[in-house]
Amino acid sequence: MPQPERENYLNKHYGVWSWLLTTDHKRIALLYLISITFFFFIGGFFALLIRLELLTPAGDLVQADTYNKLFTMHGMVMVFFFLIPSIPAVLGNFLVPMMIGAKDLAFPRINLLSWYLYIIGGVMMLHCMLTGGVDTGWTFYAPFATNFTNTKIVEAALAIFVAGFSSILTGLNFVVTIHRMRAPGMTWSRLPLFIWAHYATSIIQLLGTPVIAVTIVLVACERALHLGIFDPKLGGDPLLFQHLFWFYSHPAVYIMILPAMGVVTEIIACFSRKRIFGYSFVAFSSIAIAVFGFLVWAHHMFVAGMSVYAALVFSLLSYAVAVPSAIKVFNWTATLYKGSIHYDAPMLYAFGFLGLFTIGGLTGLFLAALGINVHVTDTYFVVAHFHYIMVGGAVMGYLGGMHFWWPKISGKLYPEGWARLAALIVFIGFNLTFFPQFLLGYMGMPRRYYDYSHMPEFQILNVLSTAGATVLGVGYLLPMIYFLWSMRYGKPAPDNPWNAAGLEWKTPSPPPTFNFDEEPVVTWEAYNYEQLDAPSKEEVPVAR
């Protein structure tokens, strides 16, 4: 006689309305997962068109103004509708309450509202794309954006403005939940480092996002009402826009990368079967990154006309912000040292993250040096650098986290062999796409050019880059295919397939609606792998 299916958050209620009106943080995480995957593939489609245009030196696929719209819409969609919400809104929403022993987030209805705001912003951005697009670059630089272009600036600005409130509400929810809803015994020194990373991220979301929201409103006001805010003819200052924009947009890089660091910490501890080396240093380095991140924005403006003294100060601070990031990398490496390492798919993504983020971070030091910055600003060197951080780092962390927690999210196991292959393809495809761009940039190829027929020597590296983008696209498609396949055909996942530490693994897979039948009491330190492995090495079945 077949066993009745255990009640969980997926089968508790059925029907479209049960999803669209849910206040369950786990269901809202899945709504975000579907939404951001949709936008990821739209942004990826634009990227593919950009790479196809650059396959030949002549601008023979699209016109110049269409090319400007392609890289603008690629940047806006990827930054505001994929990278910033990806890990916090999907994995953060799903895991933060479970990791601290709470039944839900502090404000479940506000959590649902944040998804609706994201969707409203996304629909506005789609409408903007379908009715003409934007051609300013994702940075909206004034005075071009305020005076000289006739594309859909105001609509795109309002779309990002609305989506920004989604980010603010998510950060608010996380901060209050982490402060007020931890289980008994879950002290600050016992919090998973994933929670520390999201706490630091939430601080940036709360303090930084209102700045970009106000800045974008000022751009819309200047266009609509002809106020003299950024226009020098009316007494405005175009540099003011850059200061305001980068005051948010540099910390936004840490909104993308800090959660990925939290994911990688969890994966490395689990698959090396060791307590994280220097727990408190890793925790406080997250907070240090959030604080320092607000002090370095002007390194994006070294060629914009600031004083040499100010440039030296920002250069020094830009070197300083590398220190907490380096602490994390060294501590991860020390954790791996003499660990019992298992090369499962999440660990392969974590290794990929380590390599790519390190290259991205080191090339950031090149850009913090005034002399080199002047040489490589607005070249493909900068494009390669921020893709190594934002795609090589954030997306690797996101995919690693999706593979690590997928058995908990879906209750099913994915095919491990395919997952390892996908991790390898993504790593190879990524390096083949973006490493040639470091060489292109150093040789002097400017970014945002659609026609480089006056410098045909750059073609071979661009062909390599386009070939890599094709490989990378295959690598990104594979996980989507086998995750969907596993929902129907995957083997049922045990409650703790990796024998991992953490409260989220003490719930069934998939978890019930309110996570825990009774409030857990925490009596152990974080990452207690020596206790997990010592008594019953033979008895615990671990999915490998």
Side-chain angles (χ1 to χ4, degrees):
M1 186 174 160
Q3 291 288 316
E5 192 179 8
R6 181 183 58 78
E7 187 180 276
N8 59 62
Y9 81 99
L10 290 168
N11 64 19
K12 175 105 188 251
H13 303 288
Y14 289 101
V16 173
W17 288 110
S18 76
W19 283 86
L20 293 180
L21 298 177
T22 185
T23 53
D24 182 353
H25 66 100
K26 298 179 290 299
R27 284 193 166 203
I28 293 168
L30 291 191
L31 292 174
Y32 266 116
L33 174 61
I34 294 162
S35 320
I36 70 158
T37 304
F38 172 73
F39 282 105
F40 177 70
F41 282 104
I42 288 179
F45 174 69
F46 288 136
L48 208 55
L49 291 177
I50 291 167
R51 289 308 331 157
L52 286 171
E53 171 58 77
L54 295 173
L55 203 53
T56 56
D60 45 17
L61 179 67
V62 295
Q63 296 299 314
D65 56 346
T66 308
Y67 184 77
N68 288 350
K69 289 174 182 175
L70 284 179
F71 68 68
T72 301
M73 304 313 292
H74 165 69
M76 285 182 183
V77 168
M78 283 304 204
V79 170
F80 296 110
F81 294 94
F82 174 70
L83 285 166
I84 286 174
S86 59
I87 299 179
V90 179
L91 296 174
N93 250 328
F94 195 94
L95 294 164
V96 165
M98 290 165 62
M99 282 186 163
I100 64 173
K103 290 184 181 295
D104 206 316
L105 285 169
F107 307 115
R109 287 185 176 84
I110 288 181
N111 195 21
L112 180 63
L113 173 64
S114 73
W115 178 70
Y116 274 107
L117 289 171
Y118 173 85
I119 291 296
I120 292 166
V123 168
M124 289 168 72
M125 185 57 79
L126 283 173
H127 182 263
C128 169
M129 286 188 275
L130 294 171
T131 55
V134 186
D135 64 353
T136 58
W138 77 280
T139 52
F140 285 115
Y141 269 11
F144 180 59
T146 53
N147 281 12
F148 297 106
T149 179
N150 294 315
T151 52
K152 302 270 180 177
I153 297 288
V154 174
E155 191 173 348
L158 289 175
I160 292 166
F161 179 77
V162 172
F165 278 95
S166 166
S167 185
I168 292 169
L169 293 178
T170 301
L172 172 73
N173 230 334
F174 285 176
V175 167
V176 176
T177 305
I178 293 165
H179 269 279
R180 305 294 302 162
M181 298 180 68
R182 302 194 305 279
M186 179 61 82
T187 60
W188 287 96
S189 61
R190 287 176 176 170
L191 284 177
L193 289 160
F194 180 89
I195 300 292
W196 276 103
H198 275 77
Y199 185 72
T201 304
S202 301
I203 292 169
I204 302 172
Q205 287 175 312
L206 282 171
L207 298 180
T209 314
V211 178
I212 191 77
V214 170
T215 308
I216 283 172
V217 168
L218 291 177
V219 168
C221 286
E222 179 150 322
R223 277 187 73 87
L225 307 173
H226 304 291
L227 303 176
I229 303 162
F230 307 123
D231 183 355
K233 287 206 302 286
L234 300 171
D237 182 358
L239 271 188
L240 174 63
F241 175 84
Q242 292 191 33
H243 281 292
L244 289 171
F245 180 85
W246 288 115
F247 182 78
Y248 164 77
S249 295
H250 189 82
V253 174
Y254 303 119
I255 295 178
M256 302 169 207
I257 203 70
L258 271 170
M261 290 170 161
V263 168
V264 167
T265 306
E266 301 296 317
I267 293 172
I268 285 176
C270 177
F271 291 100
S272 59
R273 313 304 301 165
K274 278 179 70 181
R275 193 182 292 269
I276 283 289
F277 181 87
Y279 170 95
S280 54
F281 277 87
V282 179
F284 284 109
S285 67
S286 293
I287 306 297
I289 287 171
V291 173
F292 272 106
F294 281 108
L295 305 177
V296 298
W297 75 89
H299 68 217
H300 295 270
M301 300 168 55
F302 284 159
V303 296
M306 67 166 64
S307 74
V308 176
Y309 176 73
L312 284 171
V313 171
F314 280 107
S315 175
L316 184 65
L317 288 167
S318 300
Y319 278 103
V321 80
V323 174
S325 300
I327 286 171
K328 287 185 184 292
V329 173
F330 285 122
N331 283 31
W332 290 328
T333 310
T335 306
L336 290 167
Y337 180 63
K338 292 191 176 177
S340 173
I341 295 172
H342 300 278
Y343 295 96
D344 297 283
M347 190 59 158
L348 295 183
Y349 280 109
F351 277 133
F353 172 95
L354 271 175
L356 300 180
F357 174 73
T358 302
I359 292 173
L362 289 172
T363 50
L365 297 178
F366 285 51
L367 294 168
L370 292 174
I372 298 177
N373 184 287
V374 170
H375 177 67
V376 297
T377 287
D378 275 338
T379 69
Y380 266 88
F381 189 93
V382 177
V383 176
H385 157 70
F386 69 70
H387 279 86
Y388 264 84
I389 296 283
M390 288 149 70
V391 186
V395 179
M396 275 286 188
Y398 173 64
L399 288 173
M402 285 301 297
H403 284 78
F404 186 49
W405 283 291
W406 184 255
K408 185 58 64 183
I409 293 169
S410 66
K412 296 295 180 74
L413 295 173
Y414 52 79
E416 180 65 29
W418 281 103
R420 292 182 189 184
L421 177 66
L424 194 63
I425 290 173
V426 167
F427 185 77
I428 292 168
F430 178 86
N431 281 296
L432 193 55
T433 306
F434 293 107
F435 198 82
Q437 294 180 14
F438 280 128
L439 306 177
L440 281 168
Y442 199 73
M443 289 160 62
M445 180 169 175
R447 63 195 287 200
R448 299 177 170 174
Y449 275 37
Y450 86 116
D451 181 334
Y452 56 100
S453 47
H454 57 296
M455 20 187 187
E457 66 273 18
F458 294 147
Q459 183 177 8
I460 185 160
L461 288 168
N462 272 303
V463 169
L464 265 178
S465 192
T466 301
T470 316
V471 176
L472 189 59
V474 173
Y476 285 151
L477 273 172
L478 273 175
M480 193 174 81
I481 293 166
Y482 60 68
F483 280 158
L484 289 172
W485 177 91
S486 75
M487 291 289 285
R488 183 77 186 268
Y489 303 106
K491 294 176 184 169
D495 293 345
N496 190 355
W498 314 114
N499 193 23
L503 282 177
E504 76 272 26
W505 300 107
K506 297 188 183 301
T507 63
S509 296
T513 301
F514 292 110
N515 303 338
F516 302 95
D517 293 329
E518 54 189 60
E519 188 176 46
V521 177
V522 180
T523 57
W524 58 89
E525 299 303 311
Y527 309 108
N528 56 332
Y529 282 102
E530 64 280 4
Q531 292 171 341
L532 283 177
D533 292 350
S536 52
K537 272 187 179 172
E538 303 304 316
E539 298 163 22
V540 180
V542 179
R544 296 278 172 242

